[in-house]
Amino acid sequence: MTELEKLHQEIIACRACPRLVEWREEVARVKRRAYRDWEYWGRAVPGFGDPKARLIIVGLAPAAHGANRTGRYFTGDRSGEFLMAGLHRAGFSNQSRSDRIDDGLKLTDAFIVAAARCAPPDNKPLPEELARCAPFLDREMALLPGRVLLALGAIGWNAALASATRTGGVIPPPRPAFGHGAEFRLPDGRWLVGSYHVSQQNTQTGRLTPAMFDAVMKRVRVLLEDAG
């Protein structure tokens, strides 16, 4: 078993946040009518993708009826449909769909992590819950060769900055602000790039369009090529 696989087993077993454990397990018991025949995952969700990835995608948290149901980030919900279609167009995914953990999806040169590993009520983890999850993010990042970090949303952006600081980086003020297409070179030379989150709230209102996401991914490709 690799160090990354050992870490993922530790993440799956985590019960450090009582509020999140209660919520994720309640959702898994009650279920949504459309998924009443599913056996929900109902646990913390580890990262997934290519362990040799130069691109690390930093999300927010598992969706209650997405990753909390399927056991894989951005799988089985509309956010996953949008993200995987975009990653497929950019050449990071072998398919444009992400329906279930055994659907044949494979990421190439990309790996997905999250600031929080359990589905939170209202998609809003508390600061202390993010703090408890932070060591998982640091350790996962350290085991990946990522050269570009793509933050989906402000929480992902701030989590990536905080991780860089905790692991020895010094980020001088002013603190780089999140924005769609924002870029910041971290102290260790990696690039942090921002994108609006692929949530339905953004994609269904037009705040984030496929063309906007494609433009960010095009820039990610340029940065990866420059990084070698």
Side-chain angles (χ1 to χ4, degrees), residues 5-70:
E5 289 170 336
K6 291 177 184 177
L7 173 59
H8 286 172
Q9 290 301 312
E10 188 177 335
I11 290 171
I12 291 168
C14 183
R15 300 180 65 84
C17 299
R19 186 184 80 111
L20 297 186
V21 170
E22 181 180 3
W23 172 254
R24 78 191 191 196
E25 293 180 354
E26 179 184 353
V27 169
R29 283 194 306 272
V30 175
K31 305 182 181 181
R32 181 175 280 174
R33 175 177 288 184
Y35 306 125
R36 63 182 179 273
D37 295 330
W38 272 78
E39 181 177 347
Y40 274 54
W41 173 258
R43 289 171 280 173
V45 181
F48 87 97
D50 182 352
K52 298 180 180 179
R54 294 177 302 154
L55 170 62
I56 301 175
I57 300 168
V58 186
L60 167 56
H65 300 282
N68 190 57
R69 172 171 61 90
T70 63

Side-chain angles (χ1 to χ4, degrees), residues 6 9 19 32-33 36 38 40 43-44 60 72 84 91 98 103 108-109 121 124 170 185 190 207 211 215-216 228:
K6 291 177 184 177
Q9 290 301 312
R19 186 184 80 111
R32 181 175 280 174
R33 175 177 288 184
R36 63 182 179 273
W38 272 78
Y40 274 54
R43 289 171 280 173
L60 167 56
R72 191 177 70 190
M84 292 308 161
S98 179
D103 60 6
T108 300
D109 208 15
K124 294 179 180 177
V170 177
R185 191 151 202 179
R190 294 177 301 169
R207 188 176 191 225
V216 168

Side-chain angles (χ1 to χ4, degrees), residues 7-217:
L7 173 59
H8 286 172
Q9 290 301 312
E10 188 177 335
I11 290 171
I12 291 168
C14 183
R15 300 180 65 84
C17 299
R19 186 184 80 111
L20 297 186
V21 170
E22 181 180 3
W23 172 254
R24 78 191 191 196
E25 293 180 354
E26 179 184 353
V27 169
R29 283 194 306 272
V30 175
K31 305 182 181 181
R32 181 175 280 174
R33 175 177 288 184
Y35 306 125
R36 63 182 179 273
D37 295 330
W38 272 78
E39 181 177 347
Y40 274 54
W41 173 258
R43 289 171 280 173
V45 181
F48 87 97
D50 182 352
K52 298 180 180 179
R54 294 177 302 154
L55 170 62
I56 301 175
I57 300 168
V58 186
L60 167 56
H65 300 282
N68 190 57
R69 172 171 61 90
T70 63
R72 191 177 70 190
Y73 290 119
F74 296 106
T75 300
D77 58 19
R78 295 292 178 83
S79 297
E81 289 178 10
F82 185 98
L83 178 62
M84 292 308 161
L87 293 181
H88 181 64
R89 291 192 300 271
F92 290 101
S93 173
N94 68 325
Q95 60 191 46
S96 60
R97 299 278 304 180
S98 179
D99 299 316
R100 53 193 309 138
I101 204 165
D102 58 355
D103 60 6
L105 174 70
K106 183 178 180 181
L107 300 184
T108 300
D109 208 15
F111 198 96
I112 298 177
V113 299
R117 304 308 173 112
C118 296
D122 301 319
N123 289 322
K124 294 179 180 177
L126 300 176
E128 56 266 33
E129 292 163 349
L130 288 169
R132 291 191 195 104
C133 252
F136 288 144
L137 183 63
D138 296 346
R139 291 165 62 191
E140 208 162 29
M141 292 258 206
L143 293 170
L144 298 167
R147 301 308 304 156
V148 176
L149 311 181
L150 174 62
L152 302 179
I155 290 180
W157 176 272
N158 290 330
L161 287 175
S163 179
T165 300
R166 285 191 303 270
T167 53
V170 177
I171 299 175
R175 187 180 181 85
F178 169 75
H180 186 76
E183 296 179 17
F184 179 73
R185 191 151 202 179
L186 295 165
D188 62 3
R190 294 177 301 169
W191 281 98
L192 175 59
V193 179
S195 169
Y196 290 142
H197 197 279
V198 294
S199 66
Q200 285 185 266
Q201 182 179 357
N202 288 333
T203 59
Q204 290 191 341
T205 60
R207 188 176 191 225
L208 177 62
T209 65
M212 291 170 64
F213 189 76
D214 288 351
V216 168
M217 294 309 299

